[in-house]
Amino acid sequence: MTLMINKNKWANRLLAIFLALVVLAKVLHILPFIYLGIVIAAAAICLGDDNFRVGTCLLLVPNIRMFDGTTVSFFVNLLITMPVFLHVLETRRINFMALCHVVMLAVWELAHVFYLNNFDNIAPNLGAVLVLYYIECVLTDRNVKVYFPDIVRKFSFGCLYSAVVHYIALAVKSSPKEAWDYVMAWRLQGFAGDPNYFALYLCIAASMMLIIGDLHKKRDYVYILLLMLAILLTFSKMSLVILLLNVLYFSGKTLYNLFSRRNRFVRRITIICIAAGAVFSSQIVDMINVTLVRLQEHNGTAVTMDTITSNRARILQFYSNELINHPALLFFGYGLQYNKTPAYTEFFYVAHNTFLDLMLSWGAVGVAMFIFIFYHIFSGIKRSRTHRFRFDEFLPLIITCTSFLALSCLSASMFWWIICAALLPLKGMQPNESAAYFGNRAGLQHGKIRLRVRRVAN
Protein backbone atom coordinates (compact mmCIF):
# COMPACT_ATOMS: atom_id res chain seq x y z
CA MET A 1 0.00 0.00 0.00
CA THR A 2 1.64 3.19 -1.19
CA LEU A 3 1.19 6.71 0.09
CA MET A 4 2.61 8.30 -3.07
CA ILE A 5 -0.12 10.86 -3.65
CA ASN A 6 1.95 13.91 -4.57
CA LYS A 7 5.04 14.62 -6.63
CA ASN A 8 6.75 15.99 -3.52
CA LYS A 9 8.44 12.93 -2.04
CA TRP A 10 9.37 14.75 1.17
CA ALA A 11 5.72 15.47 1.90
CA ASN A 12 4.89 11.77 1.62
CA ARG A 13 7.88 10.79 3.76
CA LEU A 14 6.84 13.24 6.47
CA LEU A 15 3.33 11.85 6.37
CA ALA A 16 4.68 8.31 6.79
CA ILE A 17 6.69 9.50 9.81
CA PHE A 18 3.55 11.09 11.24
CA LEU A 19 1.66 7.79 10.97
CA ALA A 20 4.52 6.00 12.72
CA LEU A 21 4.38 8.57 15.54
CA VAL A 22 0.64 7.93 15.83
CA VAL A 23 1.43 4.32 16.65
CA LEU A 24 3.99 5.30 19.29
CA ALA A 25 1.70 7.92 20.81
CA LYS A 26 -1.21 5.49 20.97
CA VAL A 27 0.70 2.45 22.22
CA LEU A 28 3.21 4.14 24.56
CA HIS A 29 1.05 7.13 25.63
CA ILE A 30 3.97 9.55 25.27
CA LEU A 31 2.69 13.12 24.81
CA PRO A 32 5.86 14.51 23.10
CA PHE A 33 5.22 12.12 20.19
CA ILE A 34 1.85 13.83 19.70
CA TYR A 35 3.45 17.29 19.60
CA LEU A 36 6.09 16.06 17.17
CA GLY A 37 3.44 14.38 15.03
CA ILE A 38 1.47 17.63 14.75
CA VAL A 39 4.58 19.54 13.64
CA ILE A 40 5.42 16.90 11.02
CA ALA A 41 1.83 16.79 9.73
CA ALA A 42 1.88 20.59 9.43
CA ALA A 43 5.10 20.38 7.40
CA ALA A 44 3.56 17.75 5.12
CA ILE A 45 0.53 19.98 4.52
CA CYS A 46 2.76 22.96 3.70
CA LEU A 47 4.74 20.97 1.12
CA GLY A 48 1.67 19.82 -0.79
CA ASP A 49 -0.64 21.51 -3.28
CA ASP A 50 -4.41 21.81 -2.84
CA ASN A 51 -5.06 18.26 -4.03
CA PHE A 52 -2.51 16.86 -1.59
CA ARG A 53 -3.83 18.95 1.32
CA VAL A 54 -7.36 17.68 0.81
CA GLY A 55 -6.08 14.11 0.88
CA THR A 56 -3.90 14.76 3.92
CA CYS A 57 -6.73 16.31 5.92
CA LEU A 58 -9.07 13.46 4.99
CA LEU A 59 -6.40 10.99 6.08
CA LEU A 60 -6.29 12.83 9.41
CA VAL A 61 -10.08 12.78 9.86
CA PRO A 62 -10.35 9.22 11.25
CA ASN A 63 -7.07 9.57 13.16
CA ILE A 64 -7.24 13.07 14.59
CA ARG A 65 -9.69 12.34 17.41
CA MET A 66 -7.02 10.43 19.30
CA PHE A 67 -5.96 13.91 20.45
CA ASP A 68 -9.34 14.69 22.02
CA GLY A 69 -9.13 15.52 25.69
CA THR A 70 -5.41 16.33 25.54
CA THR A 71 -3.63 19.65 25.90
CA VAL A 72 -2.97 19.79 22.15
CA SER A 73 -6.58 20.05 20.97
CA PHE A 74 -6.06 23.70 20.02
CA PHE A 75 -3.06 22.83 17.82
CA VAL A 76 -5.02 20.04 16.16
CA ASN A 77 -7.76 22.47 15.14
CA LEU A 78 -5.10 24.89 13.93
CA LEU A 79 -3.56 22.09 11.86
CA ILE A 80 -6.89 21.31 10.18
CA THR A 81 -7.45 25.00 9.29
CA MET A 82 -3.92 25.51 7.89
CA PRO A 83 -4.93 24.79 4.26
CA VAL A 84 -7.27 27.80 4.40
CA PHE A 85 -4.42 30.28 4.90
CA LEU A 86 -2.02 28.45 2.59
CA HIS A 87 -4.57 28.52 -0.22
CA VAL A 88 -5.03 32.29 0.17
CA LEU A 89 -1.25 32.92 0.25
CA GLU A 90 -0.60 30.82 -2.85
CA THR A 91 -3.48 32.08 -4.99
CA ARG A 92 -3.13 35.67 -3.72
CA ARG A 93 -6.82 36.24 -4.06
CA ILE A 94 -9.90 35.97 -1.88
CA ASN A 95 -13.03 34.09 -2.79
CA PHE A 96 -15.43 36.73 -1.48
CA MET A 97 -18.52 34.57 -1.85
CA ALA A 98 -16.96 31.79 0.26
CA LEU A 99 -15.70 34.37 2.74
CA CYS A 100 -19.19 35.86 3.04
CA HIS A 101 -20.59 32.40 3.76
CA VAL A 102 -18.04 31.85 6.54
CA VAL A 103 -18.64 35.27 8.08
CA MET A 104 -22.39 34.76 7.88
CA LEU A 105 -22.30 31.49 9.83
CA ALA A 106 -19.62 32.73 12.25
CA VAL A 107 -21.55 35.89 13.12
CA TRP A 108 -24.76 33.88 13.54
CA GLU A 109 -23.01 31.48 15.92
CA LEU A 110 -21.39 34.32 17.87
CA ALA A 111 -24.82 35.91 18.31
CA HIS A 112 -25.96 32.74 20.08
CA VAL A 113 -22.78 32.51 22.13
CA PHE A 114 -23.04 36.03 23.57
CA TYR A 115 -26.82 36.04 23.92
CA LEU A 116 -26.86 32.77 25.89
CA ASN A 117 -23.42 33.17 27.57
CA ASN A 118 -22.52 29.73 26.25
CA PHE A 119 -18.78 29.96 25.56
CA ASP A 120 -17.97 26.23 25.60
CA ASN A 121 -15.70 25.14 22.74
CA ILE A 122 -16.16 28.42 20.87
CA ALA A 123 -12.71 28.29 19.22
CA PRO A 124 -13.07 24.77 17.73
CA ASN A 125 -16.54 25.59 16.45
CA LEU A 126 -15.44 28.77 14.71
CA GLY A 127 -12.38 26.94 13.38
CA ALA A 128 -14.63 24.26 11.93
CA VAL A 129 -16.67 26.95 10.16
CA LEU A 130 -13.44 28.44 8.79
CA VAL A 131 -12.74 25.16 6.96
CA LEU A 132 -15.87 25.91 4.92
CA TYR A 133 -13.93 28.62 3.07
CA TYR A 134 -11.24 26.22 1.89
CA ILE A 135 -13.47 23.35 0.84
CA GLU A 136 -15.79 25.76 -1.01
CA CYS A 137 -12.77 27.07 -2.93
CA VAL A 138 -11.62 23.54 -3.74
CA LEU A 139 -15.04 22.30 -4.80
CA THR A 140 -16.19 25.30 -6.87
CA ASP A 141 -12.96 26.72 -8.37
CA ARG A 142 -12.40 25.49 -11.93
CA ASN A 143 -8.66 26.08 -11.61
CA VAL A 144 -8.35 23.61 -8.73
CA LYS A 145 -8.09 20.08 -10.14
CA VAL A 146 -9.01 17.27 -7.77
CA TYR A 147 -7.33 13.98 -8.65
CA PHE A 148 -10.09 12.00 -7.04
CA PRO A 149 -8.57 8.46 -7.08
CA ASP A 150 -5.47 9.65 -5.21
CA ILE A 151 -7.50 11.35 -2.49
CA VAL A 152 -9.86 8.38 -2.09
CA ARG A 153 -7.05 5.88 -1.59
CA LYS A 154 -5.49 8.17 0.97
CA PHE A 155 -8.74 8.56 2.91
CA SER A 156 -9.31 4.80 2.78
CA PHE A 157 -5.78 4.13 4.00
CA GLY A 158 -6.32 6.56 6.88
CA CYS A 159 -9.49 4.76 7.95
CA LEU A 160 -7.89 1.32 7.80
CA TYR A 161 -4.75 2.56 9.53
CA SER A 162 -6.85 3.94 12.38
CA ALA A 163 -8.62 0.59 12.81
CA VAL A 164 -5.41 -1.49 12.67
CA VAL A 165 -3.47 0.69 15.12
CA HIS A 166 -6.42 0.76 17.51
CA TYR A 167 -6.42 -3.05 17.52
CA ILE A 168 -2.61 -3.21 17.88
CA ALA A 169 -2.74 -0.86 20.85
CA LEU A 170 -5.32 -3.11 22.50
CA ALA A 171 -3.28 -6.23 21.73
CA VAL A 172 -0.06 -4.72 23.16
CA LYS A 173 -1.80 -3.94 26.44
CA SER A 174 -3.24 -7.45 26.77
CA SER A 175 -3.16 -10.08 24.02
CA PRO A 176 -4.65 -10.55 20.52
CA LYS A 177 -7.37 -12.78 21.97
CA GLU A 178 -8.31 -10.24 24.66
CA ALA A 179 -8.20 -7.45 22.05
CA TRP A 180 -10.68 -9.39 19.93
CA ASP A 181 -12.93 -9.92 22.95
CA TYR A 182 -12.75 -6.19 23.69
CA VAL A 183 -13.82 -5.33 20.13
CA MET A 184 -16.67 -7.83 20.35
CA ALA A 185 -17.80 -6.27 23.63
CA TRP A 186 -17.21 -2.56 22.93
CA ARG A 187 -17.08 -2.43 19.09
CA LEU A 188 -14.28 -1.19 16.86
CA GLN A 189 -13.74 2.53 17.43
CA GLY A 190 -10.50 3.34 15.64
CA PHE A 191 -9.25 6.73 16.74
CA ALA A 192 -12.68 8.28 16.25
CA GLY A 193 -13.63 7.61 19.89
CA ASP A 194 -17.17 6.71 18.85
CA PRO A 195 -17.88 3.60 16.73
CA ASN A 196 -20.80 5.33 15.00
CA TYR A 197 -18.67 8.27 13.80
CA PHE A 198 -15.94 5.88 12.76
CA ALA A 199 -18.50 3.80 10.85
CA LEU A 200 -19.51 6.96 8.96
CA TYR A 201 -15.91 7.54 7.84
CA LEU A 202 -15.59 3.90 6.78
CA CYS A 203 -18.88 3.96 4.84
CA ILE A 204 -17.88 7.09 2.91
CA ALA A 205 -14.43 5.65 2.15
CA ALA A 206 -15.92 2.33 1.00
CA SER A 207 -18.46 4.03 -1.27
CA MET A 208 -15.76 6.18 -2.86
CA MET A 209 -13.51 3.14 -3.34
CA LEU A 210 -16.39 1.40 -5.10
CA ILE A 211 -16.61 4.37 -7.48
CA ILE A 212 -12.92 4.34 -8.45
CA GLY A 213 -12.34 0.57 -8.07
CA ASP A 214 -10.21 -0.60 -10.98
CA LEU A 215 -10.66 -4.20 -12.16
CA HIS A 216 -6.95 -4.30 -12.95
CA LYS A 217 -5.87 -3.07 -9.51
CA LYS A 218 -6.37 -5.84 -6.98
CA ARG A 219 -5.27 -3.46 -4.25
CA ASP A 220 -8.52 -1.52 -4.70
CA TYR A 221 -10.58 -4.62 -3.95
CA VAL A 222 -8.42 -5.39 -0.94
CA TYR A 223 -9.19 -1.89 0.34
CA ILE A 224 -12.92 -2.41 -0.24
CA LEU A 225 -13.04 -5.80 1.51
CA LEU A 226 -11.06 -4.52 4.50
CA LEU A 227 -13.24 -1.41 4.78
CA MET A 228 -16.39 -3.54 4.75
CA LEU A 229 -14.93 -5.80 7.43
CA ALA A 230 -14.14 -2.76 9.58
CA ILE A 231 -17.69 -1.46 9.06
CA LEU A 232 -19.07 -4.77 10.31
CA LEU A 233 -16.79 -4.66 13.37
CA THR A 234 -18.19 -1.26 14.40
CA PHE A 235 -21.59 -3.02 14.76
CA SER A 236 -23.29 0.26 13.92
CA LYS A 237 -26.91 -0.52 13.08
CA MET A 238 -27.26 2.46 10.77
CA SER A 239 -24.06 1.50 8.96
CA LEU A 240 -25.24 -2.08 8.51
CA VAL A 241 -28.37 -0.79 6.79
CA ILE A 242 -26.30 1.59 4.64
CA LEU A 243 -23.88 -1.18 3.77
CA LEU A 244 -26.75 -3.42 2.68
CA LEU A 245 -28.66 -0.83 0.63
CA ASN A 246 -25.87 1.09 -1.04
CA VAL A 247 -23.37 -1.65 -1.81
CA LEU A 248 -25.89 -3.89 -3.57
CA TYR A 249 -25.81 -1.70 -6.66
CA PHE A 250 -22.04 -1.76 -6.95
CA SER A 251 -21.73 -5.39 -5.95
CA GLY A 252 -23.97 -6.50 -8.79
CA LYS A 253 -22.27 -4.17 -11.25
CA THR A 254 -18.76 -5.17 -10.21
CA LEU A 255 -19.45 -8.90 -10.13
CA TYR A 256 -21.07 -8.73 -13.55
CA ASN A 257 -18.00 -7.02 -15.01
CA LEU A 258 -15.63 -9.43 -13.31
CA PHE A 259 -17.45 -12.58 -14.42
CA SER A 260 -18.10 -11.26 -17.91
CA ARG A 261 -14.37 -10.74 -18.35
CA ARG A 262 -13.57 -14.09 -16.81
CA ASN A 263 -11.13 -12.41 -14.52
CA ARG A 264 -8.91 -14.80 -12.59
CA PHE A 265 -9.17 -12.48 -9.61
CA VAL A 266 -12.76 -13.69 -9.02
CA ARG A 267 -11.62 -17.27 -8.63
CA ARG A 268 -8.74 -16.25 -6.40
CA ILE A 269 -10.84 -14.08 -4.12
CA THR A 270 -13.47 -16.84 -3.89
CA ILE A 271 -10.83 -19.33 -2.77
CA ILE A 272 -9.43 -16.82 -0.27
CA CYS A 273 -12.90 -16.15 1.18
CA ILE A 274 -13.62 -19.87 1.56
CA ALA A 275 -10.24 -20.42 3.22
CA ALA A 276 -10.74 -17.42 5.52
CA GLY A 277 -14.20 -18.71 6.44
CA ALA A 278 -12.73 -22.06 7.42
CA VAL A 279 -9.81 -20.63 9.41
CA PHE A 280 -11.73 -17.85 11.15
CA SER A 281 -15.04 -19.65 11.60
CA SER A 282 -15.21 -18.94 15.34
CA GLN A 283 -14.56 -15.22 14.82
CA ILE A 284 -17.25 -15.11 12.15
CA VAL A 285 -19.71 -16.74 14.52
CA ASP A 286 -18.80 -14.13 17.17
CA MET A 287 -19.52 -11.32 14.69
CA ILE A 288 -22.87 -12.81 13.74
CA ASN A 289 -23.90 -13.23 17.38
CA VAL A 290 -22.90 -9.68 18.33
CA THR A 291 -24.73 -8.30 15.29
CA LEU A 292 -27.91 -10.17 16.21
CA VAL A 293 -27.68 -8.93 19.80
CA ARG A 294 -27.24 -5.35 18.57
CA LEU A 295 -30.27 -5.60 16.30
CA GLN A 296 -32.58 -6.98 19.00
CA GLU A 297 -31.08 -5.27 22.06
CA HIS A 298 -33.83 -4.21 24.44
CA ASN A 299 -32.42 -4.82 27.97
CA GLY A 300 -35.32 -7.03 29.02
CA THR A 301 -37.99 -4.49 28.09
CA ALA A 302 -40.51 -4.61 25.28
CA VAL A 303 -39.08 -4.10 21.82
CA THR A 304 -40.10 -0.62 20.65
CA MET A 305 -38.83 1.91 18.14
CA ASP A 306 -36.93 3.55 21.00
CA THR A 307 -35.07 0.35 21.95
CA ILE A 308 -34.37 -0.52 18.32
CA THR A 309 -32.86 2.93 17.74
CA SER A 310 -30.86 2.92 21.02
CA ASN A 311 -32.99 5.67 22.65
CA ARG A 312 -32.75 7.92 19.60
CA ALA A 313 -36.52 7.91 19.08
CA ARG A 314 -37.04 9.29 22.62
CA ILE A 315 -34.36 11.95 22.13
CA LEU A 316 -35.83 12.94 18.76
CA GLN A 317 -39.31 13.25 20.27
CA PHE A 318 -37.99 15.37 23.15
CA TYR A 319 -36.21 17.90 20.96
CA SER A 320 -39.05 17.98 18.42
CA ASN A 321 -41.44 18.93 21.23
CA GLU A 322 -39.00 21.62 22.34
CA LEU A 323 -39.04 23.16 18.87
CA ILE A 324 -42.84 23.11 18.75
CA ASN A 325 -43.26 24.60 22.25
CA HIS A 326 -40.59 27.32 21.92
CA PRO A 327 -41.00 29.56 18.85
CA ALA A 328 -37.79 31.44 19.73
CA LEU A 329 -35.84 28.16 19.58
CA LEU A 330 -37.53 27.29 16.28
CA PHE A 331 -36.43 30.51 14.56
CA PHE A 332 -33.27 31.49 16.49
CA GLY A 333 -31.78 28.29 17.95
CA TYR A 334 -29.47 27.83 20.93
CA GLY A 335 -26.08 27.65 19.20
CA LEU A 336 -23.83 24.68 18.42
CA GLN A 337 -23.63 23.80 22.12
CA TYR A 338 -27.41 23.82 22.56
CA ASN A 339 -27.34 20.75 24.81
CA LYS A 340 -25.28 22.67 27.40
CA THR A 341 -27.73 25.52 27.92
CA PRO A 342 -29.35 25.75 31.40
CA ALA A 343 -32.67 24.50 30.02
CA TYR A 344 -31.13 21.11 29.22
CA THR A 345 -29.01 20.38 32.27
CA GLU A 346 -31.10 17.30 33.02
CA PHE A 347 -31.25 16.16 29.39
CA PHE A 348 -27.67 16.56 28.20
CA TYR A 349 -27.83 14.29 25.15
CA VAL A 350 -27.39 15.81 21.73
CA ALA A 351 -30.18 15.26 19.22
CA HIS A 352 -28.40 12.37 17.41
CA ASN A 353 -29.72 13.83 14.17
CA THR A 354 -27.65 16.36 12.22
CA PHE A 355 -30.67 17.85 10.46
CA LEU A 356 -32.31 18.46 13.83
CA ASP A 357 -28.95 19.79 15.05
CA LEU A 358 -29.19 22.50 12.41
CA MET A 359 -32.59 23.60 13.64
CA LEU A 360 -31.65 23.46 17.33
CA SER A 361 -28.34 25.24 16.78
CA TRP A 362 -29.23 27.97 14.30
CA GLY A 363 -33.00 27.87 13.98
CA ALA A 364 -34.97 28.29 10.77
CA VAL A 365 -32.82 31.30 9.82
CA GLY A 366 -29.63 29.26 10.13
CA VAL A 367 -31.13 26.37 8.18
CA ALA A 368 -31.98 28.79 5.35
CA MET A 369 -28.34 30.01 5.40
CA PHE A 370 -27.05 26.44 5.28
CA ILE A 371 -29.31 25.50 2.35
CA PHE A 372 -28.22 28.63 0.47
CA ILE A 373 -24.52 27.81 0.99
CA PHE A 374 -24.99 24.18 0.01
CA TYR A 375 -26.90 25.20 -3.12
CA HIS A 376 -24.11 27.63 -4.07
CA ILE A 377 -21.45 24.91 -3.65
CA PHE A 378 -23.45 22.41 -5.69
CA SER A 379 -24.04 25.00 -8.43
CA GLY A 380 -20.32 25.78 -8.55
CA ILE A 381 -19.51 22.09 -8.89
CA LYS A 382 -22.05 21.74 -11.68
CA ARG A 383 -20.59 24.70 -13.60
CA SER A 384 -17.09 23.24 -13.42
CA ARG A 385 -18.12 19.88 -14.92
CA THR A 386 -17.97 18.93 -18.58
CA HIS A 387 -20.02 15.73 -18.22
CA ARG A 388 -23.37 14.76 -16.77
CA PHE A 389 -23.58 13.49 -13.23
CA ARG A 390 -23.63 9.74 -12.74
CA PHE A 391 -25.71 8.00 -10.10
CA ASP A 392 -22.71 6.40 -8.40
CA GLU A 393 -21.12 9.83 -7.85
CA PHE A 394 -23.97 10.69 -5.47
CA LEU A 395 -23.53 7.56 -3.36
CA PRO A 396 -21.16 9.10 -0.73
CA LEU A 397 -23.55 12.05 -0.36
CA ILE A 398 -26.53 9.70 0.04
CA ILE A 399 -24.62 7.68 2.65
CA THR A 400 -23.64 10.83 4.52
CA CYS A 401 -27.18 12.24 4.58
CA THR A 402 -28.53 8.86 5.70
CA SER A 403 -25.99 8.68 8.54
CA PHE A 404 -26.91 12.22 9.57
CA LEU A 405 -30.32 10.84 10.55
CA ALA A 406 -28.70 9.01 13.48
CA LEU A 407 -25.62 11.14 14.29
CA SER A 408 -25.07 14.67 15.59
CA CYS A 409 -22.21 15.92 13.42
CA LEU A 410 -22.74 19.67 13.08
CA SER A 411 -20.73 20.61 16.18
CA ALA A 412 -17.91 18.15 15.38
CA SER A 413 -14.68 19.74 14.12
CA MET A 414 -14.64 17.26 11.21
CA PHE A 415 -18.15 18.14 9.97
CA TRP A 416 -17.14 20.23 6.97
CA TRP A 417 -14.44 17.75 5.96
CA ILE A 418 -17.08 15.02 5.90
CA ILE A 419 -19.23 17.24 3.66
CA CYS A 420 -16.15 17.76 1.48
CA ALA A 421 -15.55 14.00 1.20
CA ALA A 422 -19.20 13.41 0.26
CA LEU A 423 -19.07 16.05 -2.51
CA LEU A 424 -15.62 15.22 -3.90
CA PRO A 425 -16.92 12.56 -6.34
CA LEU A 426 -19.02 15.27 -7.97
CA LYS A 427 -16.01 17.57 -8.29
CA GLY A 428 -13.59 14.77 -9.12
CA MET A 429 -11.55 14.69 -12.30
CA GLN A 430 -13.59 13.95 -15.39
CA PRO A 431 -12.81 10.95 -17.65
CA ASN A 432 -10.96 12.99 -20.32
CA GLU A 433 -8.96 14.92 -17.70
CA SER A 434 -8.17 11.73 -15.79
CA ALA A 435 -6.98 9.98 -18.95
CA ALA A 436 -4.76 12.93 -19.84
CA TYR A 437 -3.34 13.15 -16.31
CA PHE A 438 -2.57 9.48 -15.88
CA GLY A 439 -1.58 9.17 -19.54
CA ASN A 440 1.02 11.89 -19.12
CA ARG A 441 2.45 10.17 -16.07
CA ALA A 442 2.56 6.86 -17.93
CA GLY A 443 4.08 8.59 -20.96
CA LEU A 444 6.88 10.06 -18.88
CA GLN A 445 7.66 6.68 -17.41
CA HIS A 446 7.50 5.09 -20.89
CA GLY A 447 9.84 7.79 -22.19
CA LYS A 448 12.41 6.93 -19.54
CA ILE A 449 12.27 3.26 -20.51
CA ARG A 450 12.78 4.07 -24.19
CA LEU A 451 15.73 6.33 -23.37
CA ARG A 452 17.43 3.55 -21.43
CA VAL A 453 16.85 1.08 -24.26
CA ARG A 454 18.44 3.42 -26.76
CA ARG A 455 21.49 3.90 -24.56
CA VAL A 456 21.97 0.17 -24.25
CA ALA A 457 21.54 -0.28 -27.99
CA ASN A 458 24.12 2.37 -28.77
Side-chain angles (χ1 to χ4, degrees):
M1 294 182 182
T2 179
L3 288 177
M4 186 56 64
I5 307 299
N6 191 264
K7 295 178 181 179
N8 193 315
K9 294 182 179 180
W10 274 107
N12 294 284
R13 291 170 182 170
L14 288 174
L15 197 58
I17 295 173
F18 165 78
L19 293 174
L21 289 172
V22 166
V23 178
L24 296 175
K26 182 68 177 178
V27 175
L28 302 179
H29 300 285
I30 300 178
L31 191 60
F33 284 140
I34 298 179
Y35 285 106
L36 182 59
I38 291 175
V39 172
I40 290 177
I45 290 175
C46 291
L47 289 173
D49 55 13
D50 274 327
N51 183 67
F52 181 71
R53 289 175 193 141
V54 171
T56 300
C57 289
L58 287 178
L59 183 146
L60 293 174
V61 163
N63 295 286
I64 208 69
R65 291 194 65 183
M66 69 170 288
F67 300 110
D68 285 358
T70 68
T71 57
V72 297
S73 298
F74 171 78
F75 298 103
V76 171
N77 285 281
L78 185 63
L79 177 69
I80 294 299
T81 56
M82 274 184 59
V84 183
F85 306 103
L86 293 172
H87 177 81
V88 173
L89 290 174
E90 290 175 354
T91 59
R92 297 182 181 179
R93 62 187 178 88
I94 298 293
N95 187 323
F96 286 100
M97 183 61 72
L99 183 62
C100 288
H101 294 163
V102 173
V103 172
M104 185 168 57
L105 290 182
V107 169
W108 190 241
E109 171 62 15
L110 285 173
H112 294 83
V113 168
F114 286 102
Y115 179 75
L116 298 169
N117 293 320
N118 191 5
F119 295 93
D120 291 339
N121 300 323
I122 180 173
N125 291 334
L126 294 180
V129 173
L130 185 61
V131 173
L132 170 63
Y133 175 87
Y134 178 65
I135 69 170
E136 189 169 340
C137 291
V138 169
L139 292 171
T140 60
D141 192 340
R142 296 183 181 181
N143 298 319
V144 178
K145 299 297 183 183
V146 178
Y147 305 135
F148 182 58
D150 293 344
I151 291 176
V152 171
R153 292 189 178 97
K154 200 165 192 178
F155 183 39
S156 301
F157 182 87
C159 291
L160 293 175
Y161 188 85
S162 176
V164 171
V165 175
H166 175 67
Y167 186 83
I168 291 175
L170 293 173
V172 169
K173 296 176 183 177
S174 52
S175 68
K177 175 63 170 60
E178 292 175 335
W180 175 259
D181 293 339
Y182 179 89
V183 170
M184 289 296 102
W186 299 101
R187 305 156 63 188
L188 183 65
Q189 301 176 13
F191 291 146
D194 187 312
N196 294 307
Y197 280 107
F198 188 50
L200 172 59
Y201 306 149
L202 292 167
C203 285
I204 295 176
S207 66
M208 292 196 296
M209 281 301 304
L210 286 166
I211 293 175
I212 69 163
D214 190 340
L215 295 176
H216 301 289
K217 291 184 178 179
K218 300 178 180 63
R219 180 189 64 178
D220 288 353
Y221 286 93
V222 173
Y223 270 125
I224 293 170
L225 291 173
L226 291 177
L227 286 168
M228 290 182 178
L229 174 61
I231 292 171
L232 292 174
L233 289 176
T234 63
F235 300 108
S236 171
K237 286 181 280 190
M238 177 62 73
S239 297
L240 292 175
V241 174
I242 290 172
L243 193 64
L244 176 64
L245 295 178
N246 293 294
V247 173
L248 283 177
Y249 169 77
F250 285 101
S251 298
K253 179 181 176 180
T254 302
L255 288 174
Y256 173 79
N257 291 332
L258 286 172
F259 280 110
S260 63
R261 297 187 183 191
R262 298 179 181 180
N263 197 308
R264 288 182 299 176
F265 179 63
V266 176
R267 295 193 296 270
R268 293 175 181 176
I269 201 66
T270 303
I271 294 173
I272 291 173
C273 290
I274 293 174
V279 175
F280 299 103
S281 58
S282 61
Q283 287 80 4
I284 294 173
V285 171
D286 290 341
M287 292 175 59
I288 293 173
N289 290 334
V290 174
T291 303
L292 293 175
V293 170
R294 285 281 299 159
L295 292 175
Q296 60 184 3
E297 193 174 40
H298 53 86
N299 298 323
T301 60
V303 178
T304 63
M305 181 58 67
D306 193 41
T307 57
I308 293 175
T309 59
S310 302
N311 295 325
R312 281 173 172 79
R314 178 174 63 92
I315 297 171
L316 180 64
Q317 183 179 4
F318 171 82
Y319 280 116
S320 298
N321 292 335
E322 288 293 300
L323 288 173
I324 295 172
N325 298 327
H326 297 84
L329 175 62
L330 179 63
F331 290 98
F332 182 68
Y334 278 173
L336 292 176
Q337 299 296 326
Y338 61 85
N339 61 306
K340 295 183 179 180
T341 56
Y344 300 139
T345 53
E346 296 182 0
F347 197 90
F348 58 89
Y349 294 106
V350 291
H352 288 80
N353 185 303
T354 303
F355 302 108
L356 189 57
D357 272 346
L358 271 169
M359 187 65 73
L360 292 166
S361 299
W362 293 334
V365 177
V367 171
M369 293 180 185
F370 185 87
I371 293 174
F372 171 76
I373 293 171
F374 190 86
Y375 173 78
H376 179 268
I377 293 176
F378 185 81
S379 299
I381 293 173
K382 188 175 181 180
R383 287 193 301 269
S384 66
R385 289 178 62 92
T386 58
H387 296 74
R388 291 183 177 181
F389 290 113
R390 302 195 315 268
F391 170 78
D392 54 2
E393 293 173 338
F394 286 91
L395 184 62
L397 183 60
I398 294 172
I399 286 176
T400 303
C401 292
T402 305
S403 298
F404 282 172
L405 293 172
L407 293 175
S408 286
C409 298
L410 182 63
S411 60
S413 59
M414 299 295 108
F415 173 73
W416 291 106
W417 283 112
I418 292 299
I419 294 292
C420 180
L423 293 175
L424 271 175
L426 305 178
K427 164 70 178 183
M429 186 183 294
Q430 302 307 310
N432 60 336
E433 297 171 335
S434 180
Y437 171 66
F438 292 107
N440 289 338
R441 292 205 304 184
L444 289 174
Q445 295 174 356
H446 184 61
K448 292 179 181 179
I449 295 173
R450 290 182 61 185
L451 181 62
R452 291 177 181 173
V453 172
R454 286 180 180 177
R455 285 180 178 178
V456 172
N458 290 335

